[in-house]
Amino acid sequence: MMTQQITMAVKKEVKWLLPFYLFTFLPSIMGVKKGVKWLLPFYLFTFLPSTTLAQTVKLNSDGRDTTYVNNIVKRSQKIVDGLGITADSTALNVRNIIANRYFLLNDIHEECAQSKRYAKDSLDSWLRNAAIEQAEQRRDALLYKHHFELEAALSLYITPEQIEGVKDGMTFGVVPKTYQAHLEMIPSLTDFEKQQILAWLKEAREFAMDAENSNKKHNWFGKYKGRINNWLSARGYDLVREREGWYQRIGMQQPAK
């Protein structure tokens, strides 16, 4: 029994060390050129990073209206153009990932809308509300299931900073604009308060990215802006006075009450 365990341990160690020995000693034994030539296929299929062999991302446009596809591709390309990607193949893959995300979100929301229309048109009142609620629960479950796929897919091609750019591009740049507005309106914000405001805005963005349309995207930000305002007020900030002072500093006329 002991002999068998030792044999298995030795085999495992040899298997792990084999690449090291091959690349260290074989070229010197066979000659550098001959050794490298012999080892090249082994190296290519064993050690090349998976990203080097990444496949082209296919645009999931089959069966979709051509005009709709073109609009989504243009919208996605506009986001990609702002990322500073230099490699054409990377830019194409990122564009297709974003476009496919829009297709997926549309499919999920359209399925929910169709189920709700059927419920309203065909079901008795005592079943209608239950069917509508079920459709919305299924939609929310699907959105949650697929939510993290976008960032995971993008991470194969672009940096975390560029992924932030994609998220902002899909949500009209509300996060950086709103964050900057808070910094300008309340110059006395502490570092902690700045971090909390940015964290809540990014949390709102995660919901807004999956929202059905632009109005619902802005609604999510509206909810979190209200949370931020309430939090700042509780911390002693007079937001009316801060806003008036901001308008004066930038020479902006206050909106009519």
Side-chain angles (χ1 to χ4, degrees):
M1 182 66 177
M2 181 63 69
T3 302
Q4 184 179 7
Q5 291 177 345
I6 293 174
T7 302
M8 292 176 64
V10 169
K11 287 182 178 179
K12 184 177 181 181
E13 187 71 14
V14 168
K15 182 179 180 181
W16 185 86
L17 289 172
L18 180 60
F20 172 78
Y21 284 118
L22 287 174
F23 278 92
T24 303
F25 299 109
L26 192 60
S28 62
I29 296 173
M30 301 178 64
V32 174
K33 290 185 178 179
K34 187 176 181 181
V36 170
K37 182 178 180 181
W38 187 87
L39 285 170
L40 184 59
F42 176 82
Y43 169 78
L44 288 175
F45 287 95
T46 305
F47 295 103
L48 269 184
S50 58
T51 53
T52 305
L53 302 175
Q55 299 295 312
T56 300
V57 177
K58 181 180 180 297
L59 186 68
N60 297 332
S61 58
D62 295 346
R64 303 183 189 277
D65 179 73
T66 302
T67 301
Y68 166 69
V69 170
N70 290 338
N71 288 337
I72 292 299
V73 168
K74 289 179 181 177
R75 185 190 305 176
S76 304
Q77 186 62 51
K78 184 177 180 180
I79 295 173
V80 173
D81 290 342
L83 300 178
I85 299 174
T86 56
D88 292 342
S89 59
T90 299
L92 177 62
N93 284 331
V94 172
R95 187 206 69 182
N96 287 351
I97 289 172
I98 298 171
N100 289 343
R101 181 67 182 182
Y102 281 124
F103 295 151
L104 174 65
L105 292 174
N106 181 75
D107 291 345
I108 293 173
H109 287 295
E110 183 57 29
E111 177 188 311
C112 178
Q114 289 180 1
S115 297
K116 292 169 71 173
R117 283 195 295 268
Y118 173 79
K120 292 176 181 178
D121 296 341
S122 306
L123 299 180
D124 295 333
S125 57
W126 65 279
L127 285 175
R128 186 179 305 128
N129 292 338
I132 291 174
E133 182 179 357
Q134 184 179 35
E136 292 176 346
Q137 289 176 348
R138 172 172 168 75
R139 174 202 61 198
D140 294 343
L142 288 172
L143 291 175
Y144 179 79
K145 175 183 177 181
H146 295 287
H147 179 77
F148 304 97
E149 295 172 352
L150 174 65
E151 186 166 348
L154 291 172
S155 69
L156 297 175
Y157 300 96
I158 56 178
T159 66
E161 292 75 18
Q162 289 171 319
I163 292 175
E164 285 286 300
V166 172
K167 292 183 176 183
D168 287 332
M170 296 179 71
T171 52
F172 318 112
V174 173
V175 168
K177 293 176 184 176
T178 305
Y179 179 65
Q180 185 61 34
H182 277 83
L183 298 186
E184 295 176 1
M185 185 176 73
I186 313 177
S188 60
L189 287 170
T190 67
D191 289 341
F192 169 72
E193 289 166 342
K194 294 175 184 178
Q195 292 171 0
Q196 181 61 81
I197 290 170
L198 184 59
W200 273 330
L201 289 174
K202 287 186 175 182
E203 184 176 327
R205 184 179 62 188
E206 294 300 310
F207 288 107
M209 285 169 56
D210 290 346
E212 183 177 1
N213 52 49
S214 60
N215 288 336
K216 292 184 178 180
K217 291 179 188 294
H218 284 294
N219 285 344
W220 274 111
F221 285 112
K223 292 178 181 179
Y224 277 81
K225 289 177 185 178
R227 176 187 294 185
I228 292 170
N229 289 342
N230 292 338
W231 183 70
L232 291 173
S233 296
R235 293 178 68 83
Y237 288 98
D238 185 339
L239 297 184
V240 173
R241 188 183 65 182
E242 296 287 356
R243 190 172 291 108
E244 289 175 349
W246 180 38
Y247 288 152
Q248 292 175 1
R249 288 194 298 274
I250 64 177
M252 178 179 176
Q253 185 178 1
Q254 298 184 41
K257 296 182 180 180

